Amino acid sequence: MSGDHQALALVLFSAFVAVTLGITTWVGRNRRGSAEEFYAGGRLFSPMENGFAIAGDYMSAASFLGISGLIALFGYDGMLYSVGFLVAWLVVLFLVAELVRNCGRFTLADVVASRMSARKVRIASGTSSVTVSVLYLVAQMVGAGSLVALLLGGSSEAARSWTVVGVGALMVIYVSMGGMRATTWIQIVKAVLLMAGAIAMTVLVLVRFGGDVGHLLTSAAERSGHGSDFLAPGLRYGGDWTSRLDFISLGLALVLGTAGLPHILSRFYTVPTARAARRSVVWSIGLIGSFYLMTIVLGFGAAAVVGTDEVRESNAAGNTAVPLLALDLGGGAGSTGGTVLFAVVAAIAFATILAVVAGITLASSASVAHDLVASLRRRPGRDRARDGRPPRRRLGEVAVARLAAVGIGAVAIGLGLLARDLNVAFLVGLAFAVAASANLPVLLYSLFWRGFTTRGALWSVYGGLVPAVLLVVLSPVVSGSEQALFPGVDFQVFPLENPGLVSIPLGFLAGWIGTVTSPEPPDDARHAETEVRALTGAGAV
C-alpha cells in the first residue's frame, strides 16, 4: 500500500486510540473503586446505551473482517456465519437475558452458585469462562495483525507481531484503568462507527451495481472462479460427509454459543433492572441484524469487485476482503478517494478490535478475580492466624482483577502470534463451540431444572469443556494440514474442524448423568428462591 494509505490510516488509528484513552482516563478519575463499579459500571446504563454496547461487544473483527472474507472466498457457505450469529440472539432474548440479570451479580458463576456448593462451581465456571475468553481474544489479535500487514504491504511479519503486542497492551490499559464504565463507552463509540462504515460501504456496493442484487450475485459468481457453484451450498462444507457434519457442528456452535459467552452475559448486569436487560437485547438485535445483512452484501461485493483470487492472494484466510473492497470502491490504488475510504475502513476495523478485546478482557479478569481467586481464598481456616501471627494482608478483588487482565493479555498475545494465519471468523467459531459446550448446559440446567445438583453442575462444565478443547487439539485446526497451527506435524485424530456436534451434547449429557447419580439431594428451597428471583426480580441485586 502507498505511503498515503499508511499515513492516513495511522492518523485515524491514533485518533481513536487517543479518544478511547481519554474516556478511560476520565472514567478512572471519577470511579468509586468498588467491585460493582469495576465489573458493572454502577448498573447505571440505559437500555439503549447497553444495547449499543452489546452490539459493539458482539460485532467483532470476526464479523467485519472474517465473515465478509469467508463469503468472498466461499460464497453461500460463508453466509452460515452471518445467519448463525443473528439467530443466536433469539436464544439470548427468550432464555437467558432477563433470568441472568435477576439471578446473578457479576459473572456466569453467580447464577449457578446461587443454588449449589458455591466454591466448586465457581472454580469450574471461572475456568470455562477464561478458556472461552482467551479463544475469542486470539481471534481479535489475528484480525489486528492481518489488518496492519495489509496496510504495510503484507511484507512485515515484525509489524504484525508488534501490532498484536500493542493491541494487548491497550486492552490491559482500558480494563485496569477504566473498568466496565470506560469499556461500555468505548463499545458505544465503536458500534456507531462500525454501523456508519458498514452502511456507507453497503450503499457504495449497491450503487456500483445499480441497486440490482441479482447483478451483484452474478458478478460475484463470475469472478469467484467457481461459477454457479459459488451461489450454492457445498463449496466449503458439502464435498463429503465430513464437511457436511462440520457444517452442522458449526451451525450448532454459532446458534447456541452466544448465550454462553462471558463478555455478553456480563453486559446484562450493567443495567438497573431485568426489564432494562430485555430491552437492551431488543436494541442490540436491531443493530446486529442490520449489520449482518450488510456483511452479506460486503462479502459478495468483495468477490464481485475485487475478485476471489485477489482476496486470497492478499490473505489466504480472507481477512482483508473488506479493506480491499473499500480501496476499489473509493477509486482504486493511488486515488484520493481510495486512500481515504481504505484508511477509514481500516481504522474502523482496528477500533472494532480494540473495543471487543477490552470487553472480553474485562469479563475474563472478572471470572479470575470474582470466581477463581475469591473461591480459593474461601478455604476453611485459610484466614486463621498461625503461631499467633495475624493473617497476611491480601489484594482486594478489584486489584486482583486488574492483575488478571495483565496475565490474560499476555496469554492472548502469545496465542495470537501463533494463530495469525487462521481466519478470524473460524477462530470465533471455536470459542462459540466451547461456550455452548461448557457454559450453556450448566446455565440452562441451573435456571430450569429443579433437581439439578452440584455434581451435575461440575460434570456439566467439565464434561463440555474438556472434550471441546481436546477435540480442537486433535482436529485439523492444530495439525495435519498446511493451514494448521503446526503444519509440520500430524497428530490429528478428530476429523471435524469444529467440535460442537460432539462436545455440546456431551456437556448436556454429563450434567444429566452427574445429577441423577449424585448422592446429594437437590435443594428445593434454594431452587424455589432462584426461580422466584429469576421470574420476578424479587431480591435481585
Side-chain angles (χ1 to χ4, degrees):
M1 296 298 165
S2 68
D4 291 338
H5 290 92
Q6 296 178 25
L8 184 56
L10 289 173
V11 167
L12 293 173
F13 288 172
S14 302
F16 181 80
V17 171
V19 169
T20 52
L21 286 176
I23 293 172
T24 302
T25 303
W26 177 75
V27 170
R29 289 177 178 175
N30 293 277
R31 66 168 184 250
R32 297 191 299 271
S34 66
E36 184 175 58
E37 174 71 22
F38 185 80
Y39 295 140
R43 309 187 199 280
L44 299 175
F45 292 100
S46 69
M48 184 181 74
E49 292 169 344
N50 196 44
F52 269 84
I54 291 173
D57 238 340
Y58 197 64
M59 297 184 302
S60 65
S63 306
F64 196 49
L65 301 178
I67 293 177
S68 299
L70 284 174
I71 294 174
L73 296 181
F74 302 106
Y76 183 95
D77 282 7
M79 288 174 55
L80 172 67
Y81 286 87
S82 291
V83 175
F85 283 139
L86 179 56
V87 172
W89 275 104
L90 298 177
V91 179
V92 177
L93 176 62
F94 291 116
L95 292 180
V96 172
E98 184 176 356
L99 304 182
V100 165
R101 173 60 188 82
N102 285 338
C103 290
R105 188 168 176 231
F106 300 130
T107 65
L108 166 68
D110 288 335
V111 179
V112 183
S114 63
R115 50 175 295 208
M116 305 290 174
S117 175
R119 182 172 168 269
K120 294 178 180 179
V121 169
R122 284 189 181 279
I123 291 174
S125 296
T127 302
S128 173
S129 295
V130 171
T131 303
V132 173
S133 297
V134 169
L135 282 172
Y136 213 109
L137 280 172
V138 170
Q140 311 310 312
M141 300 296 194
V142 171
S146 298
L147 192 64
V148 172
L150 175 65
L151 182 67
L152 300 179
S155 59
S156 177
E157 291 296 325
R160 295 178 69 178
S161 300
W162 280 110
T163 300
V164 171
V165 174
V167 170
L170 283 171
M171 76 185 188
V172 170
I173 293 172
Y174 291 149
V175 172
S176 59
M177 289 181 60
M180 179 59 85
R181 194 183 294 268
T183 300
T184 299
W185 282 111
I186 292 169
Q187 299 285 12
I188 293 172
V189 171
K190 166 262 176 124
V192 172
L193 291 174
L194 185 59
M195 288 298 294
I199 290 171
M201 290 275 291
T202 301
V203 169
L204 288 174
V205 170
L206 293 177
V207 168
R208 172 69 69 93
F209 292 93
D212 187 345
V213 176
H215 184 206
L216 166 63
L217 296 177
T218 302
S219 300
E222 290 174 354
R223 296 209 60 187
S224 70
H226 298 286
S228 59
D229 290 343
F230 192 70
L231 304 179
L235 193 60
R236 177 178 173 86
Y237 293 109
D240 52 31
W241 275 106
T242 299
S243 61
R244 293 172 190 172
L245 291 175
D246 225 343
F247 180 89
I248 298 172
S249 186
L250 175 63
L252 282 174
L254 295 180
V255 171
L256 299 178
T258 300
L261 293 177
H263 65 291
I264 298 297
L265 295 176
S266 65
R267 295 233 58 89
F268 299 135
Y269 301 125
T270 64
V271 289
T273 64
R275 182 170 181 265
R278 189 171 61 252
R279 290 174 61 197
S280 296
V281 177
V282 174
W283 271 99
S284 65
I285 285 176
L287 293 167
I288 292 167
S290 57
F291 174 78
Y292 281 118
L293 290 175
M294 289 187 286
T295 61
I296 296 174
V297 176
L298 296 180
F300 283 112
V305 175
V306 180
T308 298
D309 290 340
E310 287 77 5
V311 170
R312 186 177 284 109
E313 183 179 348
S314 172
N315 182 274
N319 295 330
T320 55
V322 171
L324 289 175
L325 175 62
L327 180 63
D328 200 299
L329 291 174
S335 67
T336 302
T339 299
V340 171
L341 190 57
F342 173 88
V344 169
V345 168
I348 290 174
F350 197 71
T352 296
I353 292 166
L354 289 178
V356 172
V357 297
I360 302 169
T361 305
L362 179 60
S364 52
S365 63
S367 293
V368 171
H370 186 65
D371 299 327
L372 295 177
V373 175
S375 296
L376 293 173
R377 285 176 171 179
R378 294 188 189 111
R379 288 179 182 173
R382 183 90 179 212
D383 292 326
R384 258 183 265 161
R386 296 180 179 179
D387 301 325
R389 293 177 296 175
R392 293 175 297 177
R393 290 188 61 189
R394 296 182 301 198
L395 291 173
E397 187 174 305
V398 174
V400 172
R402 293 194 177 103
L403 290 176
V406 177
I408 290 165
V411 172
I413 288 170
L415 292 176
L417 294 173
L418 186 64
R420 59 192 174 190
D421 293 324
L422 296 180
N423 181 277
V424 288
F426 169 72
L427 287 170
V428 166
L430 296 182
F432 273 62
V434 178
S437 304
N439 290 347
L440 184 62
V442 72
L443 182 62
L444 294 182
Y445 280 151
S446 297
L447 291 173
F448 298 109
W449 188 8
R450 179 180 296 275
F452 199 43
T453 64
T454 299
R455 176 189 280 185
L458 296 176
W459 284 29
S460 181
V461 173
Y462 293 126
L465 177 63
V466 174
V469 174
L470 183 62
L471 291 176
V472 169
V473 172
L474 298 177
S475 74
V477 177
V478 176
S479 70
S481 68
E482 294 181 359
Q483 295 79 30
L485 287 180
F486 303 105
V489 295
D490 186 0
F491 47 85
Q492 171 196 339
V493 176
F494 185 65
L496 305 183
E497 293 185 349
N498 191 292
L501 185 63
V502 175
S503 59
I504 295 173
L506 283 179
F508 281 99
L509 180 62
W512 178 79
I513 294 175
T515 297
V516 298
T517 61
S518 174
E520 164 200 8
D523 192 328
D524 291 334
R526 292 178 72 179
H527 170 75
E529 179 184 349
T530 300
E531 188 174 39
V532 170
R533 177 181 293 184
L535 296 177
T536 67
V541 177

